[in-house]
Amino acid sequence: AMLRCVRCALASPRRVAAVGERFGRARVCAWRRLASASADVPDVVPEGAKLTLTENVTASIEVKKSKFVAVAGAVDDPASALRFVADVSDPSASHNCYAYKIGNTFRFSDDGEPGGTGGRPIFSALESTDFENVCVVVTRYYGGTQLGTGGLIRAYGGCAAKCLQEGLKFAVEKTETVDAMITAPSPDHLGQIYRAIEKHDATSEDEEFPEDGSVFVQVLIEKSGCDGLADTLRELTNGKATLRVLDD
């Protein structure tokens, strides 16, 4: 009866969060919210984390009567980045400078500002963060006073940086996940196996019961959590259950 219950539970389709769906198969990567709904920004961004946004964010500054408005949003590829630029740009404004970064692919535009004073500082602000798959557009409404090269660089870069800081409230972290197989000599260990799976936030995907009486449970788990799950399995089953990563 226990085996039938377990099999029924595994038959339910696994639902991947909408953000994860946008960025590929869950067994390749997942996206995890960095800040809770009650937190302004996360206290610590994990070292080496790759972040993107769950929604568009905005910020604005004013410099010598020129208003700069930044909008940042998640993008999947260069084509979607350019659509984002078109969607959030204001044709009536003086300039709509932008930059995007998608993995190792990037692009920026000064949109008529002196070379290197618009898109480049926006990109520098983006590159100095852990964000990727993000596009930032900074729209300038001219206030009648020339800002000079240095002033433009500080204004565009500063507005973009302010927007990306605001974006940490809506950031999700990209985490690498792998398929792994848990093996045990008997279904008697299933209770301990599923306790270990739950403890380490793994997702059970399939199970098999060969004729020799052993049991195999396939799981999806963050790569960084594999060693911990393997240790817990050994402890709970007195070394009977083992874990093997399938993607390596």
Side-chain angles (χ1 to χ4, degrees):
M2 180 184 70
L3 293 183
R4 284 197 297 273
C5 291
V6 171
R7 192 177 294 277
C8 289
L10 286 170
S12 301
R14 179 173 53 85
R15 175 63 181 163
V16 181
V19 173
E21 289 169 349
R22 296 180 56 204
F23 292 93
R25 296 165 58 238
R27 68 185 70 254
V28 176
C29 66
W31 295 90
R32 179 173 57 198
R33 181 175 287 277
L34 216 63
S36 67
S38 60
D40 288 338
V41 294
D43 292 331
V44 177
V45 176
E47 184 177 355
K50 297 179 180 179
L51 311 179
T52 197
L53 295 167
T54 57
E55 59 186 78
N56 292 354
V57 293
T58 63
S60 63
I61 63 173
E62 187 171 313
V63 181
K64 295 183 179 179
K65 297 185 180 181
S66 279
K67 186 176 182 180
F68 295 81
V69 179
V71 184
V75 292
D76 297 334
D77 50 42
S80 65
L82 294 179
R83 287 195 299 270
F84 177 82
V85 172
D87 288 343
V88 304
S89 293
D90 183 353
S92 68
S94 306
H95 305 277
N96 294 279
C97 302
Y98 70 85
Y100 66 74
K101 180 183 177 186
I102 304 168
N104 293 323
T105 301
F106 64 89
R107 181 176 175 179
F108 49 83
S109 168
D110 296 315
D111 190 36
E113 292 282 28
T117 63
R120 170 69 74 174
I122 296 171
F123 178 69
S124 295
L126 181 56
E127 197 173 32
S128 68
T129 70
D130 296 303
F131 281 107
E132 65 174 38
N133 287 69
V134 166
C135 181
V136 183
V137 179
V138 180
T139 298
R140 180 191 181 189
Y141 299 90
Y142 183 60
T145 302
Q146 298 290 336
L147 301 184
T149 299
L152 288 172
I153 290 173
R154 289 189 294 272
Y156 279 104
C159 192
K162 182 179 180 181
C163 185
L164 292 168
Q165 179 65 26
E166 180 73 13
L168 289 175
K169 298 178 184 178
F170 308 98
V172 285
E173 178 190 359
K174 184 179 181 181
T175 59
E176 183 179 3
T177 59
V178 294
D179 279 309
M181 185 68 73
I182 299 171
T183 307
S186 166
D188 293 341
H189 299 292
L190 277 173
Q192 294 97 322
I193 288 172
Y194 280 98
R195 283 201 295 274
I197 290 172
E198 182 177 4
K199 178 180 179 180
H200 292 276
D201 296 322
T203 302
S204 56
E205 294 192 308
D206 196 9
E207 61 177 7
E208 295 180 12
F209 300 90
E211 293 181 358
D212 63 3
S214 61
V215 60
F216 294 85
V217 180
Q218 185 172 330
V219 298
L220 183 72
I221 183 172
E222 288 185 22
K223 191 171 185 178
S224 60
C226 288
D227 289 344
L229 177 56
D231 290 343
T232 299
L233 287 167
R234 282 194 294 269
E235 293 171 4
L236 294 180
T237 65
N238 293 320
K240 300 294 185 180
T242 61
L243 180 76
R244 178 171 64 91
V245 175
L246 301 179
D247 291 312
D248 283 354

